[in-house]
PDB file of all heavy atoms in Angstrom:
ATOM      1  N   GLN F 248       0.745  -1.266  -0.061  1.00  0.00           N
ATOM      2  CA  GLN F 248      -0.038   0.075  -0.026  1.00  0.00           C
ATOM      3  C   GLN F 248       0.890   1.269  -0.070  1.00  0.00           C
ATOM      4  O   GLN F 248       0.406   2.263  -0.649  1.00  0.00           O
ATOM      5  CB  GLN F 248      -0.923   0.013   1.297  1.00  0.00           C
ATOM      6  CG  GLN F 248      -2.034  -1.050   1.227  1.00  0.00           C
ATOM      7  CD  GLN F 248      -3.087  -0.722   0.181  1.00  0.00           C
ATOM      8  OE1 GLN F 248      -3.353   0.446  -0.132  1.00  0.00           O
ATOM      9  NE2 GLN F 248      -3.653  -1.755  -0.377  1.00  0.00           N
ATOM     10  N   VAL F 249       1.948   1.254   0.731  1.00  0.00           N
ATOM     11  CA  VAL F 249       2.845   2.390   0.872  1.00  0.00           C
ATOM     12  C   VAL F 249       4.220   2.003   0.500  1.00  0.00           C
ATOM     13  O   VAL F 249       4.722   0.911   0.835  1.00  0.00           O
ATOM     14  CB  VAL F 249       2.790   2.997   2.239  1.00  0.00           C
ATOM     15  CG1 VAL F 249       3.804   4.145   2.348  1.00  0.00           C
ATOM     16  CG2 VAL F 249       1.381   3.488   2.546  1.00  0.00           C
ATOM     17  N   GLN F 250       4.925   2.875  -0.228  1.00  0.00           N
ATOM     18  CA  GLN F 250       6.271   2.612  -0.624  1.00  0.00           C
ATOM     19  C   GLN F 250       7.130   3.916  -0.357  1.00  0.00           C
ATOM     20  O   GLN F 250       6.623   5.058  -0.604  1.00  0.00           O
ATOM     21  CB  GLN F 250       6.367   2.251  -2.103  1.00  0.00           C
ATOM     22  CG  GLN F 250       7.700   1.942  -2.546  1.00  0.00           C
ATOM     23  CD  GLN F 250       7.819   1.428  -4.077  1.00  0.00           C
ATOM     24  OE1 GLN F 250       6.779   1.501  -4.719  1.00  0.00           O
ATOM     25  NE2 GLN F 250       8.988   1.182  -4.584  1.00  0.00           N
ATOM     26  N   LEU F 251       8.342   3.684   0.170  1.00  0.00           N
ATOM     27  CA  LEU F 251       9.242   4.816   0.268  1.00  0.00           C
ATOM     28  C   LEU F 251      10.339   4.715  -0.848  1.00  0.00           C
ATOM     29  O   LEU F 251      10.967   3.684  -0.870  1.00  0.00           O
ATOM     30  CB  LEU F 251       9.876   4.798   1.685  1.00  0.00           C
ATOM     31  CG  LEU F 251       8.927   4.833   2.898  1.00  0.00           C
ATOM     32  CD1 LEU F 251       9.649   4.966   4.119  1.00  0.00           C
ATOM     33  CD2 LEU F 251       7.990   6.110   2.675  1.00  0.00           C
ATOM     34  N   VAL F 252      10.483   5.732  -1.552  1.00  0.00           N
ATOM     35  CA  VAL F 252      11.516   5.696  -2.602  1.00  0.00           C
ATOM     36  C   VAL F 252      12.607   6.703  -2.261  1.00  0.00           C
ATOM     37  O   VAL F 252      12.320   7.921  -2.132  1.00  0.00           O
ATOM     38  CB  VAL F 252      10.920   6.015  -3.963  1.00  0.00           C
ATOM     39  CG1 VAL F 252      12.048   6.088  -5.049  1.00  0.00           C
ATOM     40  CG2 VAL F 252       9.794   4.995  -4.261  1.00  0.00           C
ATOM     41  N   GLU F 253      13.836   6.221  -2.182  1.00  0.00           N
ATOM     42  CA  GLU F 253      14.945   7.002  -1.849  1.00  0.00           C
ATOM     43  C   GLU F 253      15.836   7.311  -2.983  1.00  0.00           C
ATOM     44  O   GLU F 253      15.955   6.598  -3.922  1.00  0.00           O
ATOM     45  CB  GLU F 253      15.834   6.252  -0.756  1.00  0.00           C
ATOM     46  CG  GLU F 253      15.024   5.907   0.479  1.00  0.00           C
ATOM     47  CD  GLU F 253      15.860   4.835   1.221  1.00  0.00           C
ATOM     48  OE1 GLU F 253      16.546   3.976   0.622  1.00  0.00           O
ATOM     49  OE2 GLU F 253      15.687   4.804   2.500  1.00  0.00           O
ATOM     50  N   SER F 254      16.451   8.525  -2.959  1.00  0.00           N
ATOM     51  CA  SER F 254      17.454   8.992  -3.993  1.00  0.00           C
ATOM     52  C   SER F 254      18.514   9.630  -3.315  1.00  0.00           C
ATOM     53  O   SER F 254      18.450  10.261  -2.189  1.00  0.00           O
ATOM     54  CB  SER F 254      16.811   9.823  -5.053  1.00  0.00           C
ATOM     55  OG  SER F 254      16.185  10.897  -4.548  1.00  0.00           O
ATOM     56  N   GLY F 255      19.669   9.747  -3.919  1.00  0.00           N
ATOM     57  CA  GLY F 255      20.860  10.453  -3.570  1.00  0.00           C
ATOM     58  C   GLY F 255      21.838   9.421  -3.003  1.00  0.00           C
ATOM     59  O   GLY F 255      21.834   8.249  -3.416  1.00  0.00           O
ATOM     60  N   GLY F 256      22.752   9.872  -2.200  1.00  0.00           N
ATOM     61  CA  GLY F 256      23.810   8.942  -1.638  1.00  0.00           C
ATOM     62  C   GLY F 256      24.908   8.947  -2.703  1.00  0.00           C
ATOM     63  O   GLY F 256      24.918   9.499  -3.866  1.00  0.00           O
ATOM     64  N   GLY F 257      25.995   8.203  -2.305  1.00  0.00           N
ATOM     65  CA  GLY F 257      27.140   8.076  -3.120  1.00  0.00           C
ATOM     66  C   GLY F 257      28.376   8.380  -2.501  1.00  0.00           C
ATOM     67  O   GLY F 257      28.513   8.195  -1.202  1.00  0.00           O
ATOM     68  N   LEU F 258      29.516   8.644  -3.166  1.00  0.00           N
ATOM     69  CA  LEU F 258      30.766   8.858  -2.547  1.00  0.00           C
ATOM     70  C   LEU F 258      31.114  10.250  -2.620  1.00  0.00           C
ATOM     71  O   LEU F 258      30.962  10.950  -3.578  1.00  0.00           O
ATOM     72  CB  LEU F 258      31.828   8.068  -3.429  1.00  0.00           C
ATOM     73  CG  LEU F 258      33.319   8.287  -3.121  1.00  0.00           C
ATOM     74  CD1 LEU F 258      33.605   7.672  -1.745  1.00  0.00           C
ATOM     75  CD2 LEU F 258      34.183   7.591  -4.151  1.00  0.00           C
ATOM     76  N   VAL F 259      31.662  10.828  -1.417  1.00  0.00           N
ATOM     77  CA  VAL F 259      32.041  12.144  -1.270  1.00  0.00           C
ATOM     78  C   VAL F 259      33.316  12.256  -0.479  1.00  0.00           C
ATOM     79  O   VAL F 259      33.556  11.404   0.451  1.00  0.00           O
ATOM     80  CB  VAL F 259      30.809  12.987  -0.739  1.00  0.00           C
ATOM     81  CG1 VAL F 259      30.532  12.482   0.673  1.00  0.00           C
ATOM     82  CG2 VAL F 259      31.119  14.460  -0.844  1.00  0.00           C
ATOM     83  N   GLN F 260      34.017  13.198  -0.690  1.00  0.00           N
ATOM     84  CA  GLN F 260      35.220  13.488   0.093  1.00  0.00           C
ATOM     85  C   GLN F 260      34.905  14.097   1.521  1.00  0.00           C
ATOM     86  O   GLN F 260      33.886  14.811   1.591  1.00  0.00           O
ATOM     87  CB  GLN F 260      36.286  14.393  -0.583  1.00  0.00           C
ATOM     88  CG  GLN F 260      36.849  13.671  -1.849  1.00  0.00           C
ATOM     89  CD  GLN F 260      37.908  14.446  -2.486  1.00  0.00           C
ATOM     90  OE1 GLN F 260      38.299  15.434  -1.910  1.00  0.00           O
ATOM     91  NE2 GLN F 260      38.390  14.148  -3.717  1.00  0.00           N
ATOM     92  N   PRO F 261      35.660  13.899   2.522  1.00  0.00           N
ATOM     93  CA  PRO F 261      35.428  14.559   3.745  1.00  0.00           C
ATOM     94  C   PRO F 261      35.349  16.170   3.649  1.00  0.00           C
ATOM     95  O   PRO F 261      36.081  16.741   2.846  1.00  0.00           O
ATOM     96  CB  PRO F 261      36.743  14.262   4.616  1.00  0.00           C
ATOM     97  CG  PRO F 261      37.146  12.929   4.017  1.00  0.00           C
ATOM     98  CD  PRO F 261      36.912  13.041   2.661  1.00  0.00           C
ATOM     99  N   GLY F 262      34.327  16.582   4.217  1.00  0.00           N
ATOM    100  CA  GLY F 262      34.032  18.057   4.102  1.00  0.00           C
ATOM    101  C   GLY F 262      33.012  18.380   3.036  1.00  0.00           C
ATOM    102  O   GLY F 262      32.549  19.589   3.014  1.00  0.00           O
ATOM    103  N   GLY F 263      32.712  17.424   2.263  1.00  0.00           N
ATOM    104  CA  GLY F 263      31.780  17.614   1.216  1.00  0.00           C
ATOM    105  C   GLY F 263      30.284  17.487   1.662  1.00  0.00           C
ATOM    106  O   GLY F 263      29.991  17.325   2.853  1.00  0.00           O
ATOM    107  N   SER F 264      29.466  17.552   0.658  1.00  0.00           N
ATOM    108  CA  SER F 264      28.018  17.616   0.965  1.00  0.00           C
ATOM    109  C   SER F 264      27.210  16.543   0.057  1.00  0.00           C
ATOM    110  O   SER F 264      27.717  16.304  -1.036  1.00  0.00           O
ATOM    111  CB  SER F 264      27.391  19.042   0.683  1.00  0.00           C
ATOM    112  OG  SER F 264      28.020  19.918   1.496  1.00  0.00           O
ATOM    113  N   LEU F 265      26.192  15.976   0.625  1.00  0.00           N
ATOM    114  CA  LEU F 265      25.260  15.202  -0.097  1.00  0.00           C
ATOM    115  C   LEU F 265      23.859  15.526   0.308  1.00  0.00           C
ATOM    116  O   LEU F 265      23.712  15.994   1.463  1.00  0.00           O
ATOM    117  CB  LEU F 265      25.520  13.759   0.075  1.00  0.00           C
ATOM    118  CG  LEU F 265      26.755  13.027  -0.679  1.00  0.00           C
ATOM    119  CD1 LEU F 265      26.885  11.614  -0.173  1.00  0.00           C
ATOM    120  CD2 LEU F 265      26.489  13.113  -2.194  1.00  0.00           C
ATOM    121  N   SER F 266      22.978  15.237  -0.557  1.00  0.00           N
ATOM    122  CA  SER F 266      21.492  15.371  -0.229  1.00  0.00           C
ATOM    123  C   SER F 266      20.747  14.096  -0.494  1.00  0.00           C
ATOM    124  O   SER F 266      20.849  13.490  -1.616  1.00  0.00           O
ATOM    125  CB  SER F 266      20.921  16.588  -1.079  1.00  0.00           C
ATOM    126  OG  SER F 266      19.559  16.792  -0.746  1.00  0.00           O
ATOM    127  N   LEU F 267      19.936  13.700   0.525  1.00  0.00           N
ATOM    128  CA  LEU F 267      19.199  12.465   0.358  1.00  0.00           C
ATOM    129  C   LEU F 267      17.685  12.784   0.292  1.00  0.00           C
ATOM    130  O   LEU F 267      17.315  13.744   1.048  1.00  0.00           O
ATOM    131  CB  LEU F 267      19.495  11.574   1.512  1.00  0.00           C
ATOM    132  CG  LEU F 267      20.836  11.010   1.795  1.00  0.00           C
ATOM    133  CD1 LEU F 267      20.898  10.134   3.004  1.00  0.00           C
ATOM    134  CD2 LEU F 267      21.460  10.456   0.517  1.00  0.00           C
ATOM    135  N   SER F 268      16.979  12.279  -0.536  1.00  0.00           N
ATOM    136  CA  SER F 268      15.594  12.548  -0.665  1.00  0.00           C
ATOM    137  C   SER F 268      14.732  11.170  -0.559  1.00  0.00           C
ATOM    138  O   SER F 268      15.219  10.137  -0.930  1.00  0.00           O
ATOM    139  CB  SER F 268      15.215  13.164  -2.038  1.00  0.00           C
ATOM    140  OG  SER F 268      15.861  14.349  -2.233  1.00  0.00           O
ATOM    141  N   CYS F 269      13.515  11.337  -0.103  1.00  0.00           N
ATOM    142  CA  CYS F 269      12.681  10.252   0.123  1.00  0.00           C
ATOM    143  C   CYS F 269      11.232  10.721  -0.064  1.00  0.00           C
ATOM    144  O   CYS F 269      10.796  11.764   0.413  1.00  0.00           O
ATOM    145  CB  CYS F 269      12.844   9.683   1.557  1.00  0.00           C
ATOM    146  SG  CYS F 269      11.676   8.342   1.964  1.00  0.00           S
ATOM    147  N   ALA F 270      10.570   9.939  -0.918  1.00  0.00           N
ATOM    148  CA  ALA F 270       9.131  10.274  -1.246  1.00  0.00           C
ATOM    149  C   ALA F 270       8.272   9.027  -0.856  1.00  0.00           C
ATOM    150  O   ALA F 270       8.545   7.862  -1.116  1.00  0.00           O
ATOM    151  CB  ALA F 270       9.024  10.601  -2.630  1.00  0.00           C
ATOM    152  N   ALA F 271       7.212   9.349  -0.070  1.00  0.00           N
ATOM    153  CA  ALA F 271       6.176   8.316   0.304  1.00  0.00           C
ATOM    154  C   ALA F 271       5.097   8.351  -0.709  1.00  0.00           C
ATOM    155  O   ALA F 271       4.585   9.495  -0.959  1.00  0.00           O
ATOM    156  CB  ALA F 271       5.736   8.450   1.706  1.00  0.00           C
ATOM    157  N   SER F 272       4.579   7.233  -1.173  1.00  0.00           N
ATOM    158  CA  SER F 272       3.455   7.205  -2.064  1.00  0.00           C
ATOM    159  C   SER F 272       2.574   6.002  -1.666  1.00  0.00           C
ATOM    160  O   SER F 272       3.040   5.022  -1.103  1.00  0.00           O
ATOM    161  CB  SER F 272       3.835   7.138  -3.527  1.00  0.00           C
ATOM    162  OG  SER F 272       4.576   5.807  -3.747  1.00  0.00           O
ATOM    163  N   GLY F 273       1.292   5.995  -2.037  1.00  0.00           N
ATOM    164  CA  GLY F 273       0.355   4.970  -1.772  1.00  0.00           C
ATOM    165  C   GLY F 273      -0.907   5.519  -1.178  1.00  0.00           C
ATOM    166  O   GLY F 273      -1.244   6.683  -1.381  1.00  0.00           O
ATOM    167  N   SER F 274      -1.606   4.649  -0.484  1.00  0.00           N
ATOM    168  CA  SER F 274      -2.890   5.076   0.162  1.00  0.00           C
ATOM    169  C   SER F 274      -2.738   5.680   1.484  1.00  0.00           C
ATOM    170  O   SER F 274      -2.975   5.095   2.519  1.00  0.00           O
ATOM    171  CB  SER F 274      -3.799   3.852   0.281  1.00  0.00           C
ATOM    172  OG  SER F 274      -3.987   3.191  -0.990  1.00  0.00           O
TER     173      SER F 274
END
């Protein structure tokens, strides 16, 4: 009924930045 879909992540050097996103869908 419900699914969480994630995006982002990966490899980054110390001091760097990343952004993770998550979207919930369903009833």
Side-chain angles (χ1 to χ4, degrees):
Q248 292 289 330
V249 174
Q250 183 177 1
L251 303 182
V252 179
E253 302 161 331
S254 63
L258 175 65
V259 66
Q260 295 186 9
S264 299
L265 283 174
S266 181
L267 306 180
S268 298
C269 177
S272 62
S274 302

